[in-house]
Amino acid sequence: MRMKTTYIHGGISHDEATGSVNVPIHQTSTYKQDKVGVHKGYEYSRTGNPTRAALEALIADMEGGIRGFAFASGSAGTHTIFSLFSKGDHIIVGDDVYGGTYRLMDKILKRLGLTFTIVDTTKIDAIEASIQDNTKAIFLETPTNPLLKITDIQAVAEVAKKHNIISIVDNTFATPYHQKPLELGADIVLHSASKYLGGHSDVVAGLVTTNDKKLAEELGFLQNAIGGILGPQDSWIIQRGIKTLAIRMDAHEYNALKIVEFLDQHPKVFKVYYPGLASHPGYSIAKKQMTGFGGMISFELTEGLSAKLFVENLKLITLAESLGAVESLIEIPALMTHGSIPKEDRLKSGIKDELIRLSVGIEDLKDLIEDLELGFASI
Ligand SMILES: Cc1ncc(COP(=O)(O)O)c(C=O)c1O
Ligand SMILES: N[C@@H](CCSC[C@H](N)C(=O)O)C(=O)O
């Protein structure tokens, strides 16, 4: 089955029992047992639910995994993945990850005894130099949130395998439409499905998959034991969103490429961050491992111009946290999505106070450019 078809017919896409072309929403917490321990494969909805199972099978098919897991949020998925590790274990984490992932690591997991080294994962030598005897995993985003940095997944996976550690890729920005980390050698893939997979800013959800049998068993155990699962209604909505992923991603990228051109030559813009720009340091790796550059752009205004004034004066592009939806969203990472990272660490990673992040939607391009012009006229 080819990719676009998988989004529509992959996993479990319909109901054999009734012929329903969509998976029913199994709104139940528990299941009747014919005899003690004799049931139809489901005993309690934290452990398993047919609607969630359909989505879990779908994400595995989309990413080339052997089993998928759906969580109440991307953050719940991240936490469950980190629960694979024990007190004293060391994990290497990319230096530009979502602020909530940093917060989870810095404020919670450290307290529980995990240790971390923050590394610029675009530098493979730096990763290798950070590996210790107790290193168990490398966790990274590519493209990163919000600086759109690109890491060579295949090179990281090779280093990880050489040292017998696992590699985990947050694939939220690229989506499996543009990038398949498991095929490049990674062990676990994570998504905030609240973003492109859902695609309509209407659900918070997380998806995880792996192609490793042992990791799949451990993740399945942890998902049930910790319990941060996605409910049946939200599982259904994410599955519906995924059906249109391919056409949405093409439309996001089409608009983003034109907006990057517009911003890149604008006198009020100092710098544009987009992996599809030939001047981007990760351009050639992005071209090698991605089939498209996506719809996320970050940019800095020329010195002295107010990012706050700019975003607050837009009329169409919505000032909001989140990304990856049909409507364009804009925000200031330092004050919004990455506000939980202490200023010093944030600046070290390159997230300046005035950085603006734009999630390009699929509206008419002319309306988006007109709105950006309005913002520039106001500063
Ligand atoms: C790249 C990335 N990973 C993970 C998360 C966490 O996802 P969620 O908001 O669904 O918990 C987010 C955003 O929140 C994100 O942008
Ligand atoms: N205020 C929230 C931040 C949500 S950020 C959502 C998304 N990952 C994005 O990058 O836009 C919090 O503190 O968790």
Side-chain angles (χ1 to χ4, degrees):
M1 211 186 278
R2 290 172 186 80
M3 203 154 43
K4 289 182 184 173
T5 312
T6 300
Y7 299 162
I8 295 159
H9 297 285
I12 301 160
S13 63
H14 61 279
D15 183 40
E16 284 295 339
T18 60
S20 160
V21 294
N22 288 303
V23 173
I25 300 172
H26 291 269
Q27 194 67 52
T28 186
S29 62
T30 193
Y31 305 82
K32 177 180 173 292
Q33 306 203 1
D34 296 332
K35 292 197 169 110
V36 176
V38 179
H39 51 70
K40 297 182 173 60
Y42 294 96
E43 56 186 30
Y44 187 65
S45 274
R46 171 164 36 71
T47 316
N49 172 285
T51 316
R52 193 177 92 224
L55 174 64
E56 293 178 330
L58 178 58
I59 189 63
D61 279 359
M62 289 166 72
E63 289 281 11
I66 54 171
R67 188 169 161 192
F69 306 92
F71 295 94
S73 65
S75 304
T78 312
H79 193 186
T80 303
I81 292 171
F82 279 121
S83 302
L84 289 165
F85 311 114
S86 307
K87 192 173 172 182
D89 286 349
H90 172 250
I91 296 151
I92 294 170
V93 176
D95 68 347
D96 184 37
V97 292
Y98 161 54
T101 303
Y102 182 95
R103 176 177 57 200
L104 175 67
M105 171 186 75
D106 194 44
K107 296 274 188 288
I108 299 163
L109 301 174
K110 275 188 186 168
R111 185 157 51 73
L112 299 178
L114 296 188
T115 61
F116 297 91
T117 302
I118 308 289
V119 173
D120 177 355
T121 55
T122 66
K123 299 190 167 61
I124 304 301
D125 293 353
I127 296 180
E128 199 147 20
S130 306
I131 295 175
Q132 308 172 3
D133 290 346
N134 58 343
T135 303
K136 291 289 172 358
I138 304 168
F139 179 100
L140 62 95
E141 290 176 13
T142 182
T144 60
N145 181 2
L147 290 171
L148 287 310
K149 287 167 74 169
I150 301 292
T151 288
D152 186 333
I153 298 174
Q154 196 167 7
V156 171
E158 276 165 21
V159 169
K161 284 191 179 23
K162 184 168 129 198
H163 292 272
N164 202 24
I165 60 187
I166 63 170
S167 48
I168 305 158
V169 176
D170 182 331
N171 204 24
T172 299
F173 270 37
T175 83
Y177 185 59
H178 283 323
Q179 177 171 277
K180 299 267 195 65
L182 298 181
E183 286 179 4
L184 295 166
D187 300 296
I188 297 178
V189 172
L190 159 78
H191 285 276
S192 169
S194 329
K195 313 297 173 351
Y196 287 108
L197 299 186
H200 296 77
S201 299
D202 50 10
V203 184
V204 172
L207 292 173
V208 172
T209 183
T210 177
N211 54 9
D212 180 282
K213 200 162 171 278
K214 186 162 167 282
L215 286 173
E217 269 166 31
E218 287 180 54
L219 287 167
F221 168 80
L222 291 168
Q223 183 193 38
N224 184 43
I226 297 171
I229 48 106
L230 191 65
Q233 297 271 349
D234 287 348
S235 296
W236 189 92
I237 296 172
I238 296 290
Q239 185 166 15
R240 186 172 70 170
I242 286 171
K243 288 174 202 267
T244 55
L245 180 67
I247 49 168
R248 283 190 285 108
M249 290 311 290
D250 285 341
H252 284 296
E253 192 196 28
Y254 175 84
N255 277 354
L257 286 165
K258 301 278 189 223
I259 288 175
V260 162
E261 249 173 56
F262 165 76
L263 292 174
D264 203 35
Q265 53 70 47
H266 201 284
K268 291 187 177 174
V269 173
F270 171 66
K271 184 168 177 180
V272 179
Y273 299 81
Y274 186 70
L277 267 176
S279 57
H280 186 287
Y283 176 71
S284 57
I285 295 167
K287 266 199 102 155
K288 182 182 78 167
Q289 71 185 12
M290 300 173 77
T291 57
F293 302 108
M296 295 302 298
I297 306 169
S298 289
F299 60 102
E300 286 162 22
L301 301 175
T302 48
E303 213 182 333
L305 296 179
S306 164
K308 204 158 171 278
L309 211 56
F310 178 82
V311 298
E312 285 174 356
N313 273 291
L314 299 173
K315 293 269 177 286
L316 178 70
I317 301 173
T318 308
L319 175 61
E321 296 179 353
S322 203
L323 60 105
V326 288
E327 68 281 338
S328 297
L329 301 176
I330 201 159
E331 61 116 9
I332 301 179
L335 301 177
M336 299 168 73
T337 56
H338 292 66
S340 57
I341 305 179
K343 184 166 180 169
E344 201 187 299
D345 296 348
R346 189 168 39 72
L347 290 175
K348 225 187 278 168
S349 307
I351 307 169
K352 298 186 186 145
D353 290 345
E354 297 291 304
L355 183 79
I356 296 171
R357 192 192 71 186
L358 172 61
S359 171
V360 179
I362 63 170
E363 300 96 335
D364 192 303
L365 177 66
K366 286 198 194 99
D367 288 325
L368 295 178
I369 300 268
E370 269 174 32
D371 204 39
L372 290 169
E373 299 268 28
L374 203 65
F376 284 121
S378 74
I379 55 174

